[in-house]
Amino acid sequence: MSPKGRPNKENRPVIVVAGESENDRQVLHHLIRSLHPGKKIVPIRRKTVLSTAEKHLSPRVDELRRLAQTAAVGADLAGIVVHVDLDAVDEARYVKVRERITSELNKVFPCPSALALAAYETEAWLMQFPKAFSRLNSGWTLHSRYRGCDLTKVDDPKKKLMEHRWVPSYRESDAPRIMEKAFLEGELMKPDGKNRSYQEFMDELSAW
């Protein structure tokens, strides 16, 4: 604790990030930092898979709680952010999975939660920010057909990006760097187009 009783960098409140891949967790890191700059962001390195855990969701969320508490290392757990690749755009399934996982997170965690239920993939979130691609590489111009549209409905957005004749071509490892360009420190780039899962995630995160 600092002399004035404020948390220092070591014991400030922690937001824990879980997900299926390191790239996804890093993408979320930039979004969280933009809305909660005073919080320490700590990733859970272990792969977390919840979307397919139909009959085993509760024990997996319990394990996630234990991992989150360990990751917080004695600091206050200010929030839990979970990334899930749904790999489907069916409306009914999206709503069912989101409600079920959110309910379980709220039941188990004593802190706010935000669910990044990416349907199809994180790339559909990135495609809302065409200028961020150009910021990373001046030769990366997103096709006009992906601008100003509902990107939730774009089938296999990762493949769509790889089909651009960019040099170098898009790779999954570029995703965090693109989101970083969209959310440079002190700047919130306005989305071009829309994506339901992105908006619902940001609404949850903003409400903390």
Side-chain angles (χ1 to χ4, degrees):
M1 189 71 70
S2 67
K4 294 185 180 181
R6 300 176 191 169
N8 56 35
K9 289 185 177 180
E10 285 68 39
N11 62 14
R12 58 182 168 165
V14 168
I15 295 175
V16 173
V17 184
E20 298 184 29
S21 77
E22 179 64 20
N23 288 328
D24 293 331
R25 292 189 292 267
Q26 289 181 12
V27 165
L28 295 182
H29 179 102
H30 298 300
L31 298 177
I32 297 165
R33 184 188 63 183
S34 70
L35 295 177
H36 300 284
K39 302 292 192 299
K40 183 179 180 182
I41 305 169
V42 178
I44 292 176
R45 301 293 181 185
R46 185 184 302 181
K47 182 178 180 179
T48 301
V49 181
L50 299 181
S51 63
T52 58
E54 294 293 336
K55 298 180 179 179
H56 307 285
L57 183 58
S58 293
R60 290 193 187 183
V61 173
D62 280 334
E63 175 65 13
L64 180 59
R65 177 182 55 81
R66 290 189 288 272
L67 292 171
Q69 290 174 336
T70 300
V73 195
D76 290 335
L77 186 59
I80 176 74
V81 172
V82 184
H83 182 279
V84 176
D85 266 334
L86 186 57
D87 291 337
V89 291
D90 177 81
E91 174 89 8
R93 174 162 167 71
Y94 172 84
V95 172
K96 179 181 178 182
V97 172
R98 181 171 190 85
E99 289 179 349
R100 185 157 184 262
I101 295 178
T102 298
S103 175
E104 198 65 32
L105 291 173
N106 291 339
K107 186 191 308 180
V108 171
F109 280 90
C111 61
S113 67
L115 177 61
L117 186 58
Y120 243 94
E121 301 157 328
T122 301
E123 279 75 13
W125 289 23
L126 300 177
M127 291 165 75
Q128 297 177 106
F129 307 102
K131 290 182 180 179
F133 287 85
S134 299
R135 281 181 175 179
L136 182 62
N137 190 309
S138 60
W140 286 9
T141 301
L142 196 66
H143 287 161
S144 59
R145 61 178 171 272
Y146 300 124
R147 299 192 180 208
C149 66
D150 184 355
L151 291 157
T152 308
K153 299 178 180 179
V154 174
D155 182 61
D156 203 345
K158 187 183 301 178
K159 181 179 179 181
K160 296 297 190 296
L161 287 181
M162 291 178 175
E163 287 175 349
H164 284 68
R165 295 182 179 179
W166 291 337
V167 180
S169 59
Y170 170 81
R171 298 173 301 172
E172 288 185 55
S173 58
D174 293 317
R177 297 192 297 156
I178 293 168
M179 193 60 85
E180 182 180 21
K181 295 298 183 182
F183 287 81
L184 294 173
E185 196 162 351
E187 178 182 351
L188 300 177
M189 187 179 285
K190 185 178 179 180
D192 178 57
K194 62 180 181 179
N195 183 290
R196 176 179 177 176
S197 60
Y198 169 85
Q199 191 57 56
E200 290 182 343
F201 170 74
M202 294 297 279
D203 287 346
E204 286 184 344
L205 198 60
S206 300
W208 288 8

